[in-house]
Amino acid sequence: MSGTNSVVAIRDLGKTFGNEGSQTVALSGINLTIQPGEFVSLIGPSGCGKSTLLRIIGDLTGPTTGTVEVNGKPAARARTDRDYGMVFQAPVLFDWRTIEANVALPLEIIDMPRARRVQRIAEMLSLVELSDFARHHPWQLSGGMQQRAAIARALAFEPRLLLMDEPFGALDEMTRERMNTELLRIWEQTGTTIVFVTHSIPEAVFLSSRVVVMSARPGRITKVIEVGLPRPRSDETRELEPYFELITEVRESLKAGGHGSDAGTIADEPLEALQ
Amino acid sequence: MTGATASFGRRADVGGALASLGGIIRSILAFVVVVLLIAIVWEAAKWLGGGIWREAFGIVLDPPHMPPLRITQLNDTNLPHVWEVVGALFEPATRRSEFSLFAVLLDAALFTWRGAAIGFALGAAIGLGLAILFVHSRLLERALVPYVIASQTIPIIALAPMVVLWVGRDWPSVAIISAYLTFFPVTIAGIRGLKSPDPRALELMRSYAADWKSVLWKVRLPAALPYLFTALKISATASIVGAIVAEAPTGIAGGLGRAIIQFNQQFTSGPEKLWATAFICAALGIAFFGLVRLAEMIVLRNRQREVEA
């Protein structure tokens, strides 16, 4: 089923939180294969486990049942091989580092030689159009610029897989649309595979080559929708008839999955303490 | 447009430096004003309830001022005039001394500060080392933190003679006792600060497969710095008090502790000397605090709005 060269291969995955007393099934019966160069969005109501699924792919938490392979290796191995970059909803930039030093952080950790590092940072900052802000501190930048810096940092060591957990969720609608266009440009330039968690239907449709629709309690995949919109996509894409049809299709799938509304659902998946 | 914004950022840096300089000047001015206010209240109290004023600032009062009230605590032995205390600093320390009291106390302050500063450095290092240990081992934290807390309930007066007995009657003893008082706030604040990073920052480091040393060096320690400086400011003053308290009952010569004992014995004949010594002790504590505060301002200059403490 999954080709040997798939970037992500998930088989019969399940995840249960809690101890023997009270258990919550967060994910159940997940099967998903992602090919190189794909842009796959995970969409679903709060509590459907889409963030948990992303974190399992990134080996930030483990599955209860089933297996995850990244680049043909177990997820834990892929993590120690630094096969993926991670972008969270908050930029998580370090206040005490300038923008360029923030982008340099993963490169310092992999011990990249200084000369190569400097060159790489310059490339990354130019990719996200922050070259003029290299020496600024994060708090001197807007939210959108901070998130672009976080993307530059995630791409710094050329990971084959970029995991993004609602990266534009905290931005206003205008900025979000601009960031979507920029993200597609970066994706096309780098050829990185992207797994993207979002709440927003238009965002999922606009960005993705495939939209994976999930339902809540237990979190499972209810539908996978191919997005055949022409590329490169631009603001004009948002006015195409097929774009609206796909939005409707995703919305209908979410409703069919139940729990279509975010109202009244519990807060998102618990973060497991790392300390 | 981006160029304009970039230069705005640079200007903000310069503005920040100027603002912090202005802040320093304002704090110093506020400090001077408060010192003057205390002196005014002090003399006002003596004007109302002290001894007979025969002179003020070296000017003879004729007729002398007779305060309407007579309050023992305010007489010239218990509460000498401010100018007598200040004047005593510039008179010979003892009748046969060739040095002024100020020179003698400055010398003593430097001696005490050496012990306190070495103790402070030692205590800060031990305190931070313990915090790092505790943050990485839940077991050690649970097992040892109660003892760390218990250690602070032992009075220094009880501990100091034992340390002097083991280490000797000189500044190394002072340093050890200072370290003992210094390490505790650093450990407690250090644990808090090292645990302060956003959990996602730690997940980010995990996604880089960073080892614990990288996490400590690049995330935990920088995040802990504001907490550590708050503790170090407390420790700076505590180390001075600790050094003086260590010197006083154990007869270590050369420091402010010994000076306090000596001028205590001469209190009835020259109370202003003990008062002057007390002021020098306070000045030393404030100076050390100021030094740490200055280091804090330099180290944390690029942080956004840190909590002032």
Side-chain angles (χ1 to χ4, degrees):
Chain A
M1 193 169 76
S2 63
T4 45
N5 61 344
S6 64
V7 178
V8 179
I10 301 168
R11 285 182 212 93
D12 302 322
L13 183 135
K15 175 74 178 175
T16 309
F17 284 116
N19 47 29
E20 281 143 47
S22 62
Q23 290 198 330
T24 319
V25 180
L27 291 167
S28 158
I30 304 285
N31 284 287
L32 182 66
T33 305
I34 298 170
Q35 300 302 330
E38 269 198 286
F39 194 128
V40 174
S41 286
L42 308 177
I43 193 168
S46 289
C48 74
K50 54 193 188 297
S51 285
T52 305
L53 181 55
L54 192 79
R55 289 160 47 79
I56 292 173
I57 297 171
D59 189 42
L60 295 178
T61 182
T64 311
T65 57
T67 59
V68 179
E69 285 189 355
V70 175
N71 294 333
K73 301 172 275 197
R77 178 70 201 287
R79 180 175 64 81
T80 50
D81 284 355
R82 288 139 178 158
D83 279 0
Y84 68 89
M86 184 94 204
V87 179
F88 300 97
Q89 179 171 354
V92 201
L93 298 170
F94 296 108
D95 250 13
W96 53 86
R97 284 172 172 254
T98 59
I99 293 302
E100 62 181 1
N102 266 288
V103 176
L105 178 69
L107 305 179
E108 290 169 15
I109 288 166
I110 65 172
D111 278 327
M112 183 184 277
R114 193 177 184 83
R116 213 166 119 39
R117 203 160 73 202
V118 170
Q119 187 196 343
R120 186 77 194 143
I121 293 163
E123 285 168 24
M124 285 299 106
L125 288 179
S126 125
L127 183 70
V128 298
E129 292 170 353
L130 282 178
S131 302
D132 288 340
F133 299 91
R135 299 281 160 84
H136 282 57
H137 284 270
W139 40 271
Q140 294 170 315
L141 269 56
S142 70
M145 290 161 93
Q146 290 185 20
Q147 202 53 281
R148 261 154 47 200
I151 293 169
R153 178 180 60 186
L155 292 171
F157 53 64
E158 296 179 71
R160 289 177 59 194
L161 176 62
L162 186 58
L163 303 176
M164 306 183 86
D165 191 357
E166 296 186 47
F168 309 134
L171 304 179
D172 63 85
E173 198 58 33
M174 303 275 282
T175 312
R176 178 192 278 231
E177 287 192 358
R178 211 176 57 241
M179 294 296 293
N180 285 345
T181 313
E182 284 202 38
L183 180 60
L184 283 185
R185 177 179 59 77
I186 291 166
W187 173 63
E188 274 152 20
Q189 272 182 39
T190 56
T192 308
T193 309
I194 296 182
V195 184
F196 188 97
V197 166
T198 180
H199 272 296
S200 159
I201 301 170
E203 183 174 64
V205 170
F206 180 75
L207 291 171
S208 310
S209 34
R210 275 195 296 161
V211 176
V212 174
V213 181
M214 297 178 68
S215 73
R217 278 176 303 250
R220 52 173 85 241
I221 295 173
T222 50
K223 194 159 187 189
V224 179
I225 296 167
E226 295 280 340
V227 180
L229 296 171
R231 294 192 187 271
R233 294 175 191 170
S234 64
D235 285 345
E236 283 147 45
T237 310
R238 296 185 208 275
E239 284 153 27
L240 297 174
E241 194 59 34
Y243 172 72
F244 291 110
E245 283 165 9
L246 282 160
I247 285 179
T248 308
E249 191 183 349
V250 173
R251 184 176 292 127
E252 294 298 324
S253 311
L254 279 167
K255 274 189 192 147
H259 309 284
S261 162
D262 278 0
T265 51
I266 353 157
D268 242 318
E269 301 75 23
L271 275 180
E272 275 169 42
L274 278 162
Q275 295 156 21
Chain B
M1 194 197 97
T2 48
T5 325
S7 69
F8 166 77
R10 235 170 281 131
R11 218 179 313 133
D13 285 351
V14 175
L18 281 179
S20 55
L21 194 66
I24 294 174
I25 292 167
R26 261 200 306 282
S27 332
I28 291 173
L29 276 178
F31 179 73
V32 170
V33 167
V34 170
V35 167
L36 284 176
L37 278 177
I38 291 170
I40 288 168
V41 170
W42 179 311
E43 288 303 327
K46 286 190 69 70
W47 185 264
L48 291 174
I52 301 164
W53 288 44
R54 295 182 206 285
E55 55 167 4
F57 302 103
I59 302 159
V60 177
L61 298 179
D62 190 33
H65 167 68
M66 306 292 281
L69 306 167
R70 281 297 167 90
I71 297 166
T72 319
Q73 286 81 0
L74 300 178
N75 69 26
D76 288 349
T77 306
N78 288 326
L79 194 74
H81 284 286
V82 171
W83 52 84
E84 278 170 7
V85 175
V86 175
L89 283 172
F90 302 101
E91 280 159 25
T94 57
R95 219 161 292 158
R96 274 164 300 173
S97 172
E98 52 182 314
F99 299 107
S100 69
L101 181 64
F102 183 69
V104 168
L105 288 179
L106 197 65
D107 202 46
L110 284 175
F111 177 90
T112 300
W113 187 70
R114 177 173 61 170
I118 292 169
F120 172 83
L122 196 69
I126 293 170
L128 183 58
L130 282 174
I132 290 170
L133 200 67
F134 292 157
V135 165
H136 288 90
S137 167
R138 213 45 172 283
L139 183 72
L140 283 179
E141 183 182 1
R142 283 202 194 137
L144 295 182
V145 166
Y147 291 98
V148 168
I149 294 164
S151 75
Q152 298 302 301
T153 63
I154 302 171
I156 286 296
I157 305 274
L159 198 74
M162 291 190 270
V163 174
V164 171
L165 217 61
W166 297 327
V167 181
R169 204 175 286 272
D170 205 351
W171 65 264
S173 290
V174 176
I176 287 173
I177 290 158
S178 275
Y180 189 82
L181 278 184
T182 305
F183 91 97
F184 181 72
V186 178
T187 299
I188 298 301
I191 293 172
R192 186 87 194 278
L194 292 167
K195 284 182 175 174
S196 70
D198 187 332
R200 281 165 308 188
L202 298 174
E203 292 200 325
L204 191 73
M205 293 301 276
R206 186 173 152 84
S207 81
Y208 301 148
D211 58 13
W212 68 269
K213 275 179 282 186
S214 296
V215 176
L216 178 65
W217 199 243
K218 293 180 191 298
V219 179
R220 289 192 188 275
L221 275 175
L225 278 177
Y227 295 81
L228 289 173
F229 270 109
T230 301
L232 289 176
K233 281 184 283 183
I234 297 167
S235 292
T237 45
S239 75
I240 301 287
V241 173
I244 292 167
V245 172
E247 287 169 358
T250 53
I252 293 171
L256 288 172
R258 180 63 166 270
I260 288 174
I261 297 287
Q262 186 189 334
F263 295 130
N264 214 344
Q265 288 157 358
Q266 302 168 11
F267 190 76
T268 39
S269 60
E272 63 282 350
K273 285 181 185 169
L274 186 61
W275 280 98
T277 310
F279 289 132
I280 294 293
C281 292
L284 181 61
I286 291 166
F288 201 12
F289 179 93
L291 208 62
V292 176
R293 175 77 185 104
L294 190 69
E296 179 184 33
M297 287 172 84
I298 292 167
V299 172
L300 300 182
R301 68 190 176 286
N302 285 326
R303 304 287 179 102
Q304 184 187 23
R305 293 190 297 274
E306 293 299 348
V307 184
E308 301 255 329

